[in-house]
Amino acid sequence: MQHITWRLLYKSKWGSCTPSKHKICFNVNLIFMPLEFVDAIILHELAHLFHFNHSKDFYNLLCTWMPNYKEIVKENKKKQLPKLY
């Protein structure tokens, strides 16, 4: 991986991966989230290096790395975050 960046302007997603450019970006609001959720987002973006979509194979790989991935994401997606800008 050549580039990992933080984005302030994401309003509706926690991260993104562009495998062809070897680039992963994360939402700066992750600093307000539980570490378990941050781990889930990092693993989600890393899984895109193996599967470029959200296929069944993508989620199977992700759930081998973090078996409780779906529960962690579901628990934390609704949390209110402070506005940074």
Side-chain angles (χ1 to χ4, degrees):
M1 187 58 46
Q2 294 180 353
H3 297 92
I4 297 177
T5 59
W6 293 91
R7 294 275 173 133
L8 187 60
L9 301 176
Y10 284 147
K11 292 185 179 186
S12 63
K13 60 182 174 178
W14 291 108
S16 66
C17 179
T18 310
S20 63
K21 293 183 179 182
H22 304 282
K23 185 175 182 178
I24 293 179
C25 295
F26 293 104
N27 186 326
V28 71
N29 283 315
L30 284 170
I31 63 172
F32 298 109
M33 300 302 287
L35 288 178
E36 191 174 45
F37 182 73
V38 175
D39 288 344
I41 299 305
I42 292 170
L43 291 174
H44 179 105
E45 299 310 332
L46 290 173
H48 281 302
L49 299 175
F50 299 91
H51 300 284
F52 304 146
N53 53 33
H54 292 111
S55 65
K56 185 173 181 170
D57 290 337
F58 170 87
Y59 283 106
N60 285 341
L61 174 63
L62 191 51
C63 289
T64 61
W65 293 342
M66 180 178 268
N68 57 342
Y69 168 81
K70 290 180 182 180
E71 292 81 21
I72 292 167
V73 170
K74 185 176 180 180
E75 289 171 13
N76 289 282
K77 273 204 162 186
K78 298 175 188 171
K79 292 194 176 186
Q80 296 293 319
L81 299 172
K83 294 232 181 215
L84 297 177
Y85 48 93

